Amino acid sequence: MSAAAVPQPRAHQEPTASAARGRRRGLGVALLSGALGAALVLLATSRTWAKGTAAVAKGTLPQHANGDDITGLPGALAVVGLAALVAVFAVNRVGRWVVSGLLTLSGAGIVVSSMLGASDKAALEEKASQATGLADSAIHDVAYTPWPWVAMGGGALLLLAGVLALGYGRHWPAMSGRYERAGDSGKGGGSRGAGRARRGGAAPDPERPEELWKALDRGEDPTEA
């Protein structure tokens, strides 16, 4: 067989610049939407969702119920979703699939529970009963605020972050261990020296999750190419 007929091994193809920008943009969107979504849910659940009046002997008594009074599920799921968003970059392979699924379920649960709580007046009736001392005190002139819909929007953003993590998370880098040892303790000084050199003044990789978090803290948009 001639040398020309021998198949040559394919060279490993590095991702193109456009593919790298696409991955960075997807990672930035996931971080931004997840963090913003959790913040919106926690803000919305601390605000008034429903208002009304309870009849008392000398007139009426205004009542109001916060999101946490109506349902504590959205706020709890926002904390779980935020923790899952951070954990996505701390684990690999199967663990990343698991926490990405947890992030997705947290966002979906927030949307559903907020939707159910948007027209719930059980908390108002309970507060009216406590104010009047009557077990079956009625609540009148019930009005609902837009805050449940804000919580739904935050849940949708967390859901988006989870879907992005499920679809593209396998391509995302994991957080680097700043104090990770470069080699086993039994290896010679060359490995330790190489480890110190790697921990030296190398420029940070803007695609790493921790660098994107820092960009968010500085108010920058990490989705920009």
Side-chain angles (χ1 to χ4, degrees):
M1 181 180 295
S2 63
V6 178
Q8 298 297 322
R10 286 187 175 182
H12 176 69
Q13 295 182 350
E14 295 293 333
T16 63
S18 61
R21 285 196 299 270
R23 292 179 183 179
R24 172 181 167 81
R25 187 175 294 112
L27 176 55
V29 169
L31 286 173
L32 186 62
S33 62
L36 178 60
L40 284 176
V41 174
L42 293 175
L43 173 66
T45 53
S46 67
R47 297 299 191 266
T48 299
W49 283 24
K51 298 181 290 185
T53 56
V56 293
K58 296 182 179 181
T60 59
L61 187 64
Q63 300 292 323
H64 71 275
N66 293 341
D68 289 328
D69 297 328
I70 294 175
T71 172
L73 193 57
L77 288 177
V79 175
V80 172
L82 188 58
L85 178 64
V86 175
V88 165
F89 306 103
V91 295
N92 291 306
R93 297 181 181 180
V94 177
R96 181 165 289 190
W97 281 97
V98 171
V99 295
S100 297
L102 181 60
L103 175 58
T104 305
L105 291 175
S106 297
I110 290 170
V111 172
V112 173
S113 57
S114 299
M115 186 180 300
L116 295 175
S119 58
D120 191 313
K121 62 178 183 178
L124 281 176
E125 292 173 344
E126 182 179 354
K127 288 195 169 190
S129 297
Q130 293 174 354
T132 61
L134 301 175
D136 297 325
S137 181
I139 192 77
H140 305 284
D141 302 324
V142 178
Y144 298 97
T145 70
W147 285 109
W149 302 97
V150 175
M152 272 185 264
L157 289 174
L158 279 168
L159 178 60
L160 172 62
V163 170
L164 289 173
L166 284 173
Y168 305 102
R170 64 186 181 276
H171 301 301
W172 295 346
M175 284 185 177
S176 61
R178 180 175 297 179
Y179 304 104
E180 182 181 2
R181 297 177 62 182
D184 296 332
S185 58
K187 293 184 179 180
S191 297
R192 290 192 295 270
R196 286 193 296 270
R198 283 194 295 270
R199 291 194 296 270
D205 184 357
E207 294 190 15
R208 298 206 67 85
E210 56 267 35
E211 296 302 323
L212 294 178
W213 280 116
K214 292 177 182 177
L216 287 174
D217 290 338
R218 293 192 298 267
E220 301 174 2
D221 185 359
T223 65
E224 292 182 353

